[in-house]
Amino acid sequence: MRSSVYFYPTLKETPQEAQIASHRLMVRTGMITQVTSGIYTWLPLGLRVLKKIEQIVREEQDRAGSLEVLMPTIQPAELWERSGRYHDYGKEMLRMKDRHEREMLYGPTAEEVITDIFARFIKSYRDLPKRFYNIQWKFRDEIRPRFGVMRGREFLMKDNYSFDLTMEGAKASYQAMLEAYVRTFARMDLTAIPVRASSGAIGGNLSHEFQILAETGESEIFYDAAYETLDVTTLTLDRLQTLYAAADELHDPKTCPVPQERLKTARGIEVGHVFYFGTKYSVPLGAFVMDSDGKQVPVEMGSYGIGISRLTAAIIEANHDEAGIIWPESVAPFKVGLLNMNVKNEACTKLCDDLYQKLLQAGVEVLYDDRDRGAGAKFADMDLIGLPWQIIIGPRSVDSKQCELKNRRTGEKVELSLEDALKRVSR
RNA sequence: CGGGGUGUAGCGCAGCCUGGUAGCGCGCCUGGUUUGGGUCCAGGAUGUCGGGGGUUCAAAUCCUCUCACCCCGACCA
């Protein structure tokens, strides 16, 4: 993509409403722009990141044996009256009426819709287990939206719902999701620790939140120091249940089993939440199957959320410096920034254009800064946007046939041939 | 919802106390200059001063109502 035709309105100054690093940087890089409180437009650069995160989440959900569906953003109140949540949910639910005066709502979550679908189509234990997920915009009319997309009112969430015949089956689903989550976050270079949590409005009795440790996290968490040396890739539910980690609302110093010297405290950003809630929805919404004895039994359910739009902000919180964002390669909007130091120098521009074409042919996602701007402005913009690699070509490259390759994270710069730079970023 | 704050050019802000021609920096446009860390020079454009009502000869400024946004808290994926 050429900068001259792309759209990423970068700002030198920080808009006053942006208080935390991720919000500041998302606005300054032109990833998002606010429409009204807690509601944002995703501009091209931000949307690329959002889609990459979404795709990683999707791949890991698929790998875990879940089936993607797409449920609507608007739901009828009637469904929620059946589950009993229409009145319980309170003001956080955005309600509206259609032209026939029927009560509708902008879905804050989708237990009712998916459970109803299950109930209508699945009748036998032989069809279990089943897990359905969808990646869709949700709306919760937060009391106080803040921190940009970290706590927006409209947000993109992956929500997965598991249906099992037995509680043991439900625990296996829960375990599968735990594993999927660990893999998902690891692919974004994030370490998210699962902590015990209250199950809130969704209800149930087994629940973990995935927290990314960050200064600006909204919740305080308490955890066993053993977490710090934990190999999350082999984490099982049983092992997890022996470890102590709790968010502030569940932590009680009097009953905490961890000795003081091993108890750690930190702030965390909740990026995922897993629940087991048994038959809370299957009974009222009629999600019963016939078991092998010919009896109708309600299915055991769980639900599993990942805040995709929030993850964008959380990744930035965990990956930035004074100059700007430092994207992990897996979610970077482009892998490489190509900087033409002097667009009026024809030989220099030809070198850049040629390398740009080769990068495209090699399938490398590249943002080519071909604008007629000062060198300093280009460096500053590129550091701000935080693409993992920068290839810098100037008039001096014309004779030397060398360019500079800079690693945004380490700041390391090396002089090398154009061919070697191409090879280096193509792998 | 309680407490606090802010609305003046696209962005960041000054002006308001003490009423009298609406300003600065960045950005934007034109021309030139510069081109390896936000070049420099000259010229230029851009405002329902959040909105309504009031006081006054005169309101960005005073009074009043209202709207929006932000921060702290309670709440929460």
Side-chain angles (χ1 to χ4, degrees), chain A residues 5-245:
Chain A
V5 297
Y6 203 44
F7 179 68
Y8 55 111
T10 55
L11 299 174
K12 224 192 251 189
E13 284 168 304
T14 301
Q16 56 148 77
E17 75 273 10
Q19 299 294 315
I20 63 169
S22 60
H23 189 194
R24 264 196 319 267
L25 290 168
M26 289 182 81
V27 173
R28 285 192 56 207
T29 53
M31 291 177 66
I32 56 169
T33 188
Q34 182 169 325
V35 175
T36 185
S37 179
I39 299 180
Y40 294 83
T41 293
W42 290 74
L43 300 176
L45 194 71
L47 186 59
R48 284 183 77 98
V49 176
L50 190 69
K51 296 255 181 213
K52 292 209 170 179
I53 295 172
E54 177 181 331
Q55 186 56 26
I56 290 173
V57 170
R58 174 176 289 118
E59 286 169 12
E60 294 305 326
Q61 292 295 300
D62 290 345
R63 185 202 301 274
S66 304
L67 305 168
E68 186 172 10
V69 296
L70 184 58
M71 292 182 269
T73 55
I74 306 292
Q75 305 176 15
E78 181 270 337
L79 213 41
W80 287 66
E81 277 161 356
R82 280 165 59 194
S83 72
R85 284 209 291 181
Y86 192 58
H87 299 287
D88 295 349
Y89 219 94
K91 290 191 161 181
E92 218 168 275
M93 180 183 280
L94 180 65
R95 299 152 202 259
M96 65 200 103
K97 284 185 180 169
D98 69 10
R99 61 163 65 194
H100 304 293
E101 294 292 305
R102 279 190 293 249
E103 292 187 57
M104 311 290 280
L105 57 101
Y106 196 127
T109 176
E111 278 83 3
E112 281 78 2
V113 174
I114 197 70
T115 306
D116 179 60
I117 290 166
F118 181 95
R120 281 158 44 207
F121 293 103
I122 298 183
K123 305 293 183 188
S124 164
Y125 77 99
R126 294 182 189 216
D127 294 323
L128 297 184
K130 274 280 182 292
R131 288 198 289 276
F132 296 104
Y133 75 98
N134 97 141
I135 296 172
Q136 177 62 291
W137 293 90
K138 306 294 191 295
F139 197 97
R140 295 185 191 174
D141 201 357
E142 292 287 337
I143 297 170
R144 184 148 92 85
R146 65 183 116 178
F147 304 147
V149 298
M150 190 76 86
R151 177 167 297 281
R153 292 194 289 173
E154 190 181 47
F155 58 99
L156 188 60
M157 180 166 90
K158 182 284 298 178
D159 41 323
N160 186 323
Y161 306 91
S162 66
F163 300 88
D164 285 275
L165 182 63
T166 62
M167 188 174 167
E168 289 66 40
K171 282 191 170 169
S173 287
Y174 195 97
Q175 166 80 31
M177 278 300 119
L178 277 179
E179 290 169 9
Y181 277 30
V182 167
R183 292 185 63 104
T184 299
F185 298 130
R187 284 182 62 182
M188 301 170 194
D189 291 355
L190 291 174
T191 302
I193 67 173
V195 311
R196 248 170 262 183
S198 73
S199 27
I202 292 183
N205 47 27
L206 176 59
S207 172
H208 287 89
E209 289 172 353
F210 280 79
Q211 298 270 358
I212 290 169
L213 303 186
E215 289 286 316
T216 45
E218 287 192 284
S219 35
E220 184 166 27
I221 59 177
F222 299 83
Y223 60 99
D224 191 325
Y227 264 106
E228 290 175 351
T229 53
L230 194 64
D231 179 6
V232 288
T233 56
T234 58
L235 186 64
T236 64
L237 180 54
D238 289 340
R239 170 80 177 111
L240 190 59
Q241 292 296 68
T242 66
L243 283 169
Y244 184 83

Side-chain angles (χ1 to χ4, degrees), chain A residues 115-411:
Chain A
T115 306
D116 179 60
I117 290 166
F118 181 95
R120 281 158 44 207
F121 293 103
I122 298 183
K123 305 293 183 188
S124 164
Y125 77 99
R126 294 182 189 216
D127 294 323
L128 297 184
K130 274 280 182 292
R131 288 198 289 276
F132 296 104
Y133 75 98
N134 97 141
I135 296 172
Q136 177 62 291
W137 293 90
K138 306 294 191 295
F139 197 97
R140 295 185 191 174
D141 201 357
E142 292 287 337
I143 297 170
R144 184 148 92 85
R146 65 183 116 178
F147 304 147
V149 298
M150 190 76 86
R151 177 167 297 281
R153 292 194 289 173
E154 190 181 47
F155 58 99
L156 188 60
M157 180 166 90
K158 182 284 298 178
D159 41 323
N160 186 323
Y161 306 91
S162 66
F163 300 88
D164 285 275
L165 182 63
T166 62
M167 188 174 167
E168 289 66 40
K171 282 191 170 169
S173 287
Y174 195 97
Q175 166 80 31
M177 278 300 119
L178 277 179
E179 290 169 9
Y181 277 30
V182 167
R183 292 185 63 104
T184 299
F185 298 130
R187 284 182 62 182
M188 301 170 194
D189 291 355
L190 291 174
T191 302
I193 67 173
V195 311
R196 248 170 262 183
S198 73
S199 27
I202 292 183
N205 47 27
L206 176 59
S207 172
H208 287 89
E209 289 172 353
F210 280 79
Q211 298 270 358
I212 290 169
L213 303 186
E215 289 286 316
T216 45
E218 287 192 284
S219 35
E220 184 166 27
I221 59 177
F222 299 83
Y223 60 99
D224 191 325
Y227 264 106
E228 290 175 351
T229 53
L230 194 64
D231 179 6
V232 288
T233 56
T234 58
L235 186 64
T236 64
L237 180 54
D238 289 340
R239 170 80 177 111
L240 190 59
Q241 292 296 68
T242 66
L243 283 169
Y244 184 83
D248 41 12
E249 75 271 14
L250 275 193
H251 177 70
D252 181 351
K254 293 193 203 75
T255 60
C256 176
V258 182
Q260 195 64 38
E261 64 276 11
R262 259 180 40 215
L263 186 67
K264 297 274 190 166
T265 176
R267 298 199 72 82
I269 299 169
E270 183 185 346
V271 291
H273 205 154
V274 293
F275 298 94
Y276 159 73
F277 45 67
T279 60
K280 179 178 162 76
Y281 298 98
S282 50
V283 169
L285 290 162
F288 288 73
V289 293
M290 192 168 285
D291 71 8
S292 56
D293 297 330
K295 282 190 309 196
Q296 293 285 343
V297 295
V299 290
E300 296 279 337
M301 293 178 58
S303 79
Y304 316 89
I306 290 181
I308 291 178
S309 46
R310 175 180 285 181
L311 261 175
T312 315
I315 291 168
I316 295 171
E317 286 297 328
N319 296 280
H320 70 274
D321 63 14
E322 283 302 301
I325 303 171
I326 305 172
W327 288 114
E329 249 179 61
S330 58
V331 298
F334 298 92
K335 184 176 184 182
V336 178
L338 174 60
L339 288 80
N340 182 348
M341 288 293 94
N342 188 344
V343 298
K344 293 218 171 110
N345 180 316
E346 285 180 23
C348 175
T349 294
K350 178 157 193 333
L351 279 185
C352 290
D353 287 353
D354 288 349
L355 184 60
Y356 178 56
Q357 289 305 327
K358 285 178 183 158
L359 285 163
L360 291 179
Q361 281 159 20
V364 177
E365 293 180 308
V366 52
L367 181 64
Y368 172 22
D369 194 342
D370 59 343
R371 298 172 300 177
D372 186 12
R373 302 272 294 273
K378 292 193 176 190
F379 283 124
D381 258 4
M382 203 53 88
D383 285 347
L384 180 66
I385 292 168
L387 306 182
W389 298 100
Q390 297 173 13
I391 295 175
I392 299 143
I393 296 179
R396 66 167 85 146
S397 306
V398 174
D399 294 327
S400 69
K401 302 293 180 218
Q402 300 269 300
C403 62
E404 188 174 283
L405 179 68
K406 174 177 161 182
N407 180 304
R408 174 66 178 88
R409 187 173 293 276
T410 63

